Amino acid sequence: MIPEYRNIAFLDWITVLFFLSLVLIALGKYFYKPAFYAFLALPFNNKYIALHKKKGKLVNGFHIFLTIFQLINNALLLYLAKNLFMGVDTFDQPSFYAMLLLILFAFLMLKLFLQMANGFFFENYELMTDTIFEKISYWNYAGLIAFLGNLMLIFAFRGSKTLIIFTLALMFLTISIGWINGLRNRQNLIFSNTLYFILYLCALEIAPLAIFIGYLKG
């Protein structure tokens, strides 16, 4: 058996991101073990959401750990996808990744501010905080999928467009499950406030997402 030399690109800054992601997950599991195991089953049951039916859910330590985790890994997946689909096989652009991370963070903060303002002005603050927590929780789970996809894209299946599409499809499925569960749990409220719900979708869900996607395409 003849040993074969493999030239592996220097991925120091991406390795740091993976290490930071693992630290966040480890801290979450260590300090919030019941929440961690409930979170792993989030797409299959509502136990994780039920554990956080209280005030301050948005500033819960475990929730914050996971939100940082998903921002790091969702930005990295976008970075890898944009490079690959543009035909650029390079990992030496940490500044571009930092810009993507900043955009995702700003997008999340803007949506959070608008939705909290909506809850304040229309006197449905508790409903809005519940909705925000549930949506971000499913996005956090999608971030876990992105993390696994990123690991395989970097260390096992580098340059695989199929893997990127499969990862994005799983993330979309997870987020869709969250939307379906949220709509099902609030169907009576939605039917009695149909016009308000349509305005909410257009102003706070569809429009910001369309602007974000348009920016990435540009």
Side-chain angles (χ1 to χ4, degrees), residues 64-212:
I64 292 174
F65 284 153
L66 289 180
T67 302
I68 297 172
F69 174 88
Q70 66 107 336
L71 287 173
I72 291 171
N73 285 282
N74 288 348
L76 182 57
L77 184 64
L78 286 176
Y79 171 84
L80 297 176
K82 191 171 178 66
N83 273 2
L84 188 56
F85 283 101
M86 288 180 63
V88 181
D89 186 17
T90 179
F91 300 99
D92 58 354
Q93 299 175 339
S95 59
F96 178 57
Y97 168 79
M99 183 184 70
L100 283 175
L101 182 61
L102 181 61
I103 291 171
L104 281 181
F105 176 75
F107 179 75
L108 176 64
M109 290 298 102
L110 178 61
K111 283 198 64 177
L112 184 62
F113 172 78
L114 292 174
Q115 290 171 332
M116 297 295 282
N118 177 293
F120 177 79
F121 286 114
F122 291 95
E123 298 182 350
N124 58 358
Y125 186 81
E126 185 174 353
L127 172 63
M128 193 56 63
T129 53
D130 286 344
T131 302
I132 293 170
F133 175 77
E134 291 178 21
K135 288 194 303 180
I136 294 180
S137 294
Y138 280 94
W139 270 102
N140 290 346
Y141 199 94
L144 185 61
I145 297 172
F147 171 71
L148 297 175
N150 290 334
L151 280 175
M152 290 188 287
L153 281 167
I154 293 296
F155 298 114
F157 303 100
R158 182 171 171 178
S160 174
K161 294 181 180 180
T162 302
L163 179 57
I164 286 183
I165 293 172
F166 180 71
T167 302
L168 291 173
L170 280 181
M171 293 172 67
F172 178 77
L173 176 62
T174 299
I175 295 166
S176 298
I177 291 173
W179 261 99
I180 292 170
N181 288 340
L183 293 175
R184 184 180 59 193
N185 294 335
R186 298 175 177 85
Q187 55 185 330
N188 293 333
L189 182 63
I190 291 172
F191 289 146
S192 60
N193 297 274
T194 305
L195 179 60
Y196 172 79
F197 178 68
I198 293 173
L199 290 173
Y200 166 81
L201 281 180
C202 294
L204 298 180
E205 295 295 339
I206 298 175
L209 188 60
I211 293 172
F212 179 71

Side-chain angles (χ1 to χ4, degrees), residues 30-45:
Y30 181 79
F31 290 109
Y32 306 93
K33 188 171 291 185
F36 175 80
Y37 288 112
F39 173 76
L40 293 181
L42 178 62
F44 311 104
N45 63 58

